[in-house]
Amino acid sequence: MDYTATRDRVETYFDRSATKVWERLTSDAPVSGIRATVRAGRDRMRALMLNQLPADLRGARVLDAGCGTGAMAVELARRGARVVAVDISPQLIDIARRRAPPDAAIDWVAGDMLDPALGQFDAILAMDSMIYYNADDVAGLLTRAAPRLAGRFVFTLAPRTPVLMAMFRMGKLFPRADRSPVMIPHRAADIVTALDGRGTLTEAGRINSGFYISQALVFEGARQ
Ligand SMILES: C[S@@+](CC[C@H](N)C(=O)[O-])C[C@H]1O[C@@H](n2cnc3c(N)ncnc32)[C@H](O)[C@@H]1O
């Protein structure tokens, strides 16, 4: 499946079938045991990703790429960044806008995460929003952003662990019936191959929390 087809599928899923589930998972409302492990793991991942940037972000323009309901964007703004938060799902953008403190310096945008019209950034964060794309599309997202990025692109992917690969093969990473997007486990080395020398990739760490298994990666584009 190519980039546009994957993105359309992601949009349909988050903007229609999964909006309510996602709204609840990313809130303080009680959730089941499995979802609680996912929520806890995602909280740890958000902190791990933020640790890849300076604690004081005053003066920095930062993109939250695929912001969902906006937790990362709010934290970036709290650290002083001027934030652009973009998501392909207008419904999630509405929820994020309603949830955010009214004085937070965040521009909420419904659209593609790498629309060049979003402008130049000092850093880009993409938490769990590139997990549905194949290696070439991940490399394409990174290299298309590079000319508009002064610093780091911090993102997550599902790692190719034996557990995730077994679930992937059994179709357990996604309920096929509702055409929800397929999470694709990756080896970091395969993304490096797809990048073909266009920038560097380093692993920043992994979070393993029940059903949430994710790795944080840092891309830095080749300087022009
Ligand atoms: C699993 S959610 C994560 C949301 C948020 N980053 C978080 O961690 O709570 C994935 C999000 O990525 C968004 N997304 C995926 N591909 C996108 C694209 N190409 N452009 C904009 N948003 C995208 C989806 O709409 C969805 O809200």
Side-chain angles (χ1 to χ4, degrees), residues 3 7 10 14 22 26 42 64 66-68 86-89 92 111-113 127-129 131-133:
Y3 175 74
R7 192 195 58 194
V10 167
F14 282 99
W22 195 251
T26 58
R42 284 175 33 78
D64 183 0
C67 64
V86 62
D87 201 283
I88 199 71
S89 160
L92 292 187
D112 189 291
M113 63 165 87
M127 177 163 155
D128 299 345
S129 46
I131 58 178
Y132 311 106
Y133 296 94

Side-chain angles (χ1 to χ4, degrees), residues 168-197:
F168 181 68
R169 286 196 196 93
M170 291 188 303
K172 287 265 163 71
L173 290 182
F174 56 100
R176 285 174 203 268
D178 65 4
R179 291 189 72 251
S180 63
V182 182
M183 187 172 89
I184 304 177
H186 290 288
R187 264 187 225 100
D190 294 338
I191 308 300
V192 171
T193 303
L195 281 170
D196 195 20

Side-chain angles (χ1 to χ4, degrees), residues 4-76:
T4 311
T6 305
R7 192 195 58 194
D8 289 351
R9 201 167 171 145
V10 167
E11 178 182 359
T12 305
Y13 180 67
F14 282 99
D15 210 57
R16 294 190 214 152
S17 357
T19 314
K20 287 280 163 230
V21 172
W22 195 251
E23 181 175 19
R24 189 174 182 92
L25 180 72
T26 58
S27 73
D28 295 332
V31 284
S32 71
I34 287 174
R35 291 209 170 127
T37 65
V38 172
R39 187 188 272 171
R42 284 175 33 78
D43 287 346
R44 283 167 56 203
M45 177 54 87
R46 196 174 310 107
L48 171 59
M49 294 177 76
L50 286 162
N51 278 343
Q52 310 311 308
L53 303 183
D56 183 351
L57 290 170
R58 280 176 294 182
R61 189 165 190 265
V62 181
L63 178 67
D64 183 0
C67 64
T69 54
M72 182 76 88
V74 168
E75 184 54 27
L76 289 165

Side-chain angles (χ1 to χ4, degrees), residues 78-129:
R78 207 186 59 75
R79 293 174 183 219
R82 284 174 296 132
V83 182
V84 177
V86 62
D87 201 283
I88 199 71
S89 160
Q91 294 251 41
L92 292 187
I93 287 288
D94 280 349
I95 295 165
R97 193 184 278 119
R98 279 201 305 274
R99 272 189 190 170
D103 57 346
I106 304 173
D107 282 338
W108 300 102
V109 181
D112 189 291
M113 63 165 87
L114 290 182
D115 182 347
L118 297 173
Q120 300 279 336
F121 295 99
D122 297 297
I124 299 178
L125 296 181
M127 177 163 155
D128 299 345
S129 46

